Amino acid sequence: MRTVVCAVLLLVSGCGATVAPDTSASDPVTVTNCGRQVTFDKIPSKVVTNDTGITELMFALGLKDRMAGYVVSGVDTVDVRTSPWKADFESVKHLSDKVSKEVVQGVNADLVFAGWNYGFSESTGFTPDALKALGIGTYQLTEACRNGVGKQRGIMPALDALYTDLRNLGKIFRVEAKAEELVKTYQEQIARAGRLMEGKPRPKVFLYDSGQDQPFTSGKNAAPQDVISKAGGDNIFGDLNDSWTTVNWETVVQRDPEVVLIVDYADGEANTPAQKQAFLEGFAPLSNSPAVKGKRFFSLPYAALVESPRNAASIEAFAKFLAGV
């Protein structure tokens, strides 16, 4: 069986270091976030983050001391267990499994870092406007910015979104040098990974998150698009102007995937990559696809496939799999 699970993604930069901000810079800072100009009069000191990848952005920048805590769905998950910042997750307070006004007010948060469908939602009333009315600032994850077409998300390529957020956070927290160091490191790592598949055929890749009646996958605006393409493959749903989205099995079958990239996290329906693979192998309409016939499955943790500091390492790991290294 040629299933490969990449359990630990180590970055080439140091993990868990705390970076001292330039507190001498007292002037307000304005950044562009999801198309809006947002001004910060001072460095936030009680930040609440929602979701693993968002929290890891703070950790990668050395900003754990600026956090009041984080919200993730459990601390004993594959995401946290495989995180290069596991020690930071252990030292910063886990506030709740689900974000809410009560959670952030309970720690006197001065900034909430989340995204649409990554915490912010009209259905729960937890929105940037609602928090502004409470005197709490917000920063939105760029990968999850709405693009003006209904509730579709994504306004730029996923890696550009990552670099934008790192640079914006660098300005907000006065750690711009660290942000630029990370961007350079990731760009170099991705360039090295890209060379592994040079001159080789680009396989068609199906990103399988979850769903048995209808599959949940990635369009062109979510991180898997760049993870797949920079590693040397082609996302079969790279033509969809959306980030994470639901499609139908008929289209998956028609597009005849040669590789399946599985998201490793508990989805409440089929928890493990092995269970998801077993479902796909037993799904008759896909039985003749090159991916299933060749048992070409690869798995990465959820936090490696949303915008996060793990993206570069994810690209390298997937490129090695595609290249047979």
Side-chain angles (χ1 to χ4, degrees):
M1 182 178 292
R2 203 177 172 194
T3 301
V4 179
V5 178
C6 182
V8 180
L9 297 172
L10 296 178
L11 306 180
V12 296
S13 58
C15 301
T18 299
V19 177
D22 179 9
T23 55
S24 64
S26 58
D27 292 338
V29 169
T30 299
V31 299
T32 301
N33 181 215
C34 290
R36 294 183 178 182
Q37 297 293 298
V38 184
T39 298
F40 296 85
D41 293 327
K42 61 180 181 179
I43 303 175
S45 60
K46 295 182 179 179
V47 182
V48 172
T49 55
N50 181 77
D51 208 37
T52 317
I54 290 173
T55 303
E56 289 180 344
L57 285 171
M58 294 289 289
F59 291 159
L61 286 165
L63 297 172
K64 69 175 184 178
D65 291 343
R66 290 278 163 183
M67 295 176 60
Y70 61 87
V71 176
V72 298
S73 182
V75 292
D76 187 27
T77 63
V78 65
D79 281 342
V80 175
R81 289 197 304 270
T82 62
S83 177
W85 299 275
K86 189 173 186 295
D88 288 345
F89 276 108
E90 292 171 350
S91 64
V92 176
K93 188 174 182 180
H94 175 233
L95 300 175
S96 176
D97 288 352
K98 189 173 182 179
V99 74
S100 67
K101 295 176 186 175
E102 293 74 20
V103 167
V104 300
Q105 285 180 299
V107 291
N108 296 314
D110 58 3
L111 179 69
V112 173
F113 182 12
W116 289 105
N117 288 11
Y118 287 79
F120 295 137
S121 169
E122 286 95 346
S123 64
T124 62
F126 193 81
T127 66
D129 287 342
L131 292 174
K132 183 179 180 180
L134 297 174
I136 302 173
T138 56
Y139 184 86
Q140 299 181 47
L141 184 75
T142 298
E143 181 193 28
C145 293
R146 290 185 174 162
N147 58 28
V149 183
K151 293 186 177 181
Q152 291 182 17
R153 297 172 294 160
I155 60 173
M156 64 181 71
L159 287 174
D160 289 349
L162 171 65
Y163 303 150
T164 294
D165 285 335
L166 286 170
R167 287 172 170 140
N168 278 349
L169 293 168
K171 291 178 182 177
I172 293 166
F173 291 94
R174 312 324 196 252
V175 290
E176 292 176 80
K178 179 62 177 178
E180 289 300 331
E181 175 192 334
L182 291 176
V183 170
K184 181 181 178 182
T185 297
Y186 299 154
Q187 290 174 333
E188 290 173 347
Q189 187 174 11
I190 291 166
R192 289 196 303 271
R195 291 192 284 270
L196 294 172
M197 283 290 286
E198 281 183 352
K200 299 180 181 180
R202 298 179 66 87
K204 295 182 293 183
V205 181
F206 168 45
L207 185 285
Y208 182 49
D209 177 285
S210 57
Q212 296 188 357
D213 293 333
Q214 288 185 299
F216 196 61
T217 188
S218 166
K220 71 177 184 179
N221 300 328
Q225 170 69 16
D226 276 351
V227 171
I228 292 168
S229 64
K230 298 297 184 183
D234 290 322
N235 177 13
I236 64 170
F237 289 106
D239 59 333
L240 296 182
N241 186 28
D242 204 348
S243 59
W244 295 88
T245 188
T246 299
V247 295
N248 60 67
W249 284 114
E250 290 79 7
T251 307
V252 175
V253 173
Q254 290 169 4
R255 297 188 179 188
D256 207 26
E258 297 167 281
V259 176
V260 178
L261 177 56
I262 295 174
V263 183
D264 183 3
Y265 75 115
D267 60 35
E269 187 172 29
N271 293 343
T272 68
Q275 287 174 306
K276 291 179 182 179
Q277 178 177 337
F279 165 72
L280 293 172
E281 289 180 322
F283 186 58
L286 273 178
S287 61
N288 288 321
S289 69
V292 172
K293 291 174 71 174
K295 293 188 179 294
R296 294 273 287 166
F297 298 90
F298 189 74
S299 176
L300 288 167
Y302 163 80
L305 289 166
V306 294
E307 182 196 322
S308 81
R310 300 199 212 187
N311 293 157
S314 304
I315 291 167
E316 183 175 25
F318 194 42
K320 287 180 177 179
F321 170 76
L322 295 179
V325 174

